[in-house]
């Protein structure tokens, strides 16, 4: 016959006091809670941190306690690109009604998050591996959330990969992104792609267009981040507050664009707007306006001086023509008129 024995009776009969549990560390408890959140929600937990703390595009710093993706990245000790991947994943999920939009969230706010498995439908990773071929492919596949066998099968059949790229735009876009990730770590591939571009007229034109857009975005970014701007004549001045805020607004809209969206139109609009505001800033300040004209005059004078100094008269008798003499005489008269005007202005 089996007897049921009360555990308390066992402790008493043995004379050994029951051990009391050790006090739970607050740090351990916090780790356990955060682990549980991530185990249930995966990347959504980090996406929420970004969504409720990074201000959405078009919203100025004075309108919200949220910060820019760049500031958030600096606080987090990671790159702005990584922050923007979480930002865009949340944005896509919000468009599908999975989570609240950025404007509905405030710093520190908690919301119910979707299941962890759904996260990979919205988040796009850019990890790349650097180990031996097979291991590298397997590790990269795991990082992208797919089975390594699938990636290895594709790698073993480049012809099938080529056919898929040629036939399917989405596959071509994925291949393009993979090449961009790869080219950052492969100087030889960089050189090969550069040669392909310069040998293809259409690609050369496309690169020139994108380069122009990048330069214009760089102009906007310089104002937003440094608070300084160059005037049309080349002076560097401190950007007024409203000009800097306008630059930040345009920059946030551009940064929010998806990678496959054309930035050219946005860059042109931002550039033209800021150039116009800079010109208005110069004209509104009498002292700055005079300095601008002085700087422009000196710049033109230096260019004219340099051009004249580059003229050489060695063996001039072999090619001299009457037209050359006439042009120099006209230049001499123009310089004389300029000197007269300058001397008159001083008197």
């Amino acid at each position: 016959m089996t007897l049921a024995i009360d555990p308390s009776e066992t402790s008493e009969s043995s004379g050994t006091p029951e051990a009391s549990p050790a006090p739970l560390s607050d740090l351990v408890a916090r780790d356990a809670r955060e682990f549980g959140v991530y185990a249930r929600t995966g990347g959504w937990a980090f996406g929420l941190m970004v969504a409720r703390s990074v201000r959405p595009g078009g919203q100025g710093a004075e309108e919200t306690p949220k910060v820019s993706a760049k500031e958030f990245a600096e606080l987090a000790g990671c790159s702005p690109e990584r922050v923007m991947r979480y930002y865009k994943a949340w944005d896509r999920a919000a468009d599908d009604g999975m989570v609240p939009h950025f404007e509905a969230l405030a710093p520190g706010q908690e919301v119910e998050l979707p299941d962890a498995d759904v996260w990979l439908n919205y988040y796009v990773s850019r990890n790349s591996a650097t180990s031996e071929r097979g291991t590298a492919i397997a590790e990269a596949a795991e990082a992208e959330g797919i089975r390594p066998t699938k990636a290895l099968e594709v790698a073993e059949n480049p012809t099938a990969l080529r056919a898929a790229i040629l036939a399917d735009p989405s596959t071509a876009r994925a291949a393009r992104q993979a090449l961009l990730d790869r080219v950052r770590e492969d100087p030889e591939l960089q050189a090969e792609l550069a040669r392909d571009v310069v040998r293809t007229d259409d690609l050369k034109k496309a690169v020139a267009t994108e380069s122009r857009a990048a330069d214009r975005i760089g102009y906007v970014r310089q104002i937003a981040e440094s608070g300084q701007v160059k005037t049309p004549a080349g002076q560097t001045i401190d950007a007024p507050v409203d000009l800097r805020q306008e630059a930040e607004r345009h920059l946030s809209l551009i940064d929010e664009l998806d990678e496959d969206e054309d930035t050219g139109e946005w860059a042109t609009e931002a550039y033209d707007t800021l150039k116009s505001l800079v010109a208005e800033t110069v004209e509104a300040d009498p002292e700055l306006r005079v300095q601008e004209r002085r700087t422009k005059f000196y710049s033109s004078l230096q260019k004219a001086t340099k051009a004249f100094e580059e003229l050489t008269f060695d063996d001039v008798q072999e090619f001299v023509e009457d037209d050359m003499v006439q042009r120099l005489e006209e230049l001499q008269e123009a310089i004389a008129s300029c000197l007269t005007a300058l001397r008159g202005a001083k008197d």
Side-chain angles (χ1 to χ4, degrees):
M1 183 174 72
T2 304
L3 297 176
I5 302 174
D6 187 337
S8 61
E9 295 177 357
T10 304
S11 297
E12 292 174 2
S13 61
S14 63
T16 303
E18 185 177 357
S20 58
L24 182 64
S25 166
D26 290 340
L27 296 177
V28 172
R30 187 188 67 184
D31 282 350
R33 285 194 299 271
E34 291 179 358
F35 178 84
V37 170
Y38 187 79
R40 292 189 302 274
T41 63
W44 293 113
F46 297 119
L48 175 60
M49 295 176 191
V50 172
R52 68 192 183 190
S53 298
V54 174
R55 62 176 176 261
Q59 202 170 48
E62 72 285 355
E63 302 174 50
T64 173
K66 298 182 179 182
V67 298
S68 67
K70 182 175 182 292
E71 291 173 286
F72 188 86
E74 289 174 352
L75 292 169
C78 67
S79 68
E81 290 78 11
R82 180 179 293 275
V83 172
M84 287 305 299
R85 289 202 289 274
Y86 281 88
Y87 182 99
K88 291 178 180 180
W90 189 277
D91 192 31
R92 285 187 282 267
D95 287 341
D96 287 349
M98 298 293 297
V99 293
H101 283 280
F102 299 104
E103 293 78 4
L105 296 170
Q109 183 176 346
E110 297 291 345
V111 298
E112 185 175 352
L113 298 173
D115 292 337
D117 293 340
V118 184
W119 173 251
L120 290 179
N121 294 339
Y122 297 99
Y123 180 76
V124 179
S125 174
R126 297 185 189 176
N127 296 331
S128 59
T130 57
S131 58
E132 293 299 323
R133 187 173 184 269
T135 303
I137 293 172
E139 290 178 352
E142 291 174 355
E144 297 292 341
I146 63 173
R147 293 196 305 273
T149 51
K150 283 189 175 182
L152 290 167
E153 287 173 4
V154 172
E156 290 168 3
N157 196 341
T159 303
L161 177 60
R162 171 183 167 81
I165 292 172
L166 291 174
D168 179 40
S170 63
T171 303
R173 284 192 291 270
R176 176 185 64 83
Q177 185 60 66
L179 277 174
L180 288 176
D181 287 344
R182 172 82 187 198
V183 79
R184 295 186 180 96
E185 301 175 356
D186 191 335
E188 185 176 342
L189 182 58
Q190 289 178 17
E192 290 174 359
L193 286 177
R195 285 193 292 270
D196 290 339
V197 169
V198 299
R199 292 170 183 170
T200 308
D201 288 340
D202 289 343
L203 286 178
K204 284 170 62 177
K205 292 177 182 178
V207 168
T209 299
E210 290 299 320
S211 179
R212 183 166 56 251
D215 288 342
R216 290 176 172 178
I217 293 173
Y219 175 80
V220 177
R221 192 178 299 279
Q222 169 70 18
I223 298 173
E225 295 183 354
S226 74
Q228 293 189 320
V229 61
K230 278 194 173 183
T231 66
Q235 295 186 81
T236 299
I237 62 173
D238 291 332
V241 174
D242 57 342
L243 176 60
R244 188 170 185 177
Q245 288 177 346
E246 186 68 8
E248 290 175 347
R249 187 180 72 82
H250 280 284
L251 189 60
S252 67
L253 289 170
I254 292 171
D255 285 343
E256 194 175 341
L257 295 174
D258 288 332
E259 289 190 357
D260 57 353
E261 291 187 74
D262 182 12
T263 60
E265 184 177 346
W266 294 83
T268 298
E269 180 183 350
Y271 179 80
D272 290 345
T273 299
L274 293 179
K275 291 285 282 188
S276 177
L277 288 174
V278 170
E280 291 174 9
T281 299
V282 171
E283 287 302 311
D285 185 331
E287 183 178 345
L288 185 58
R289 185 170 64 247
V290 171
Q291 182 63 32
E292 182 76 353
R293 291 174 180 173
R294 183 187 295 113
T295 302
K296 185 176 181 181
F297 186 91
Y298 267 116
S299 177
S300 298
L301 182 60
Q302 288 172 347
K303 290 177 182 177
T305 302
K306 183 178 180 181
F308 186 79
E309 289 174 345
E310 288 177 351
L311 293 176
T312 58
F313 299 92
D314 298 337
D315 303 323
V316 69
Q317 67 275 7
E318 296 181 5
F319 57 81
V320 66
E321 296 178 359
D322 292 341
D323 182 59
M324 295 178 184
V325 176
Q326 182 180 349
R327 284 176 177 268
L328 284 172
E329 289 174 344
E330 291 172 352
L331 177 60
Q332 184 180 34
E333 292 176 3
I335 292 174
S337 298
C338 182
L339 287 170
T340 301
L342 291 174
R343 288 167 179 159
K346 291 180 64 177
D347 294 339

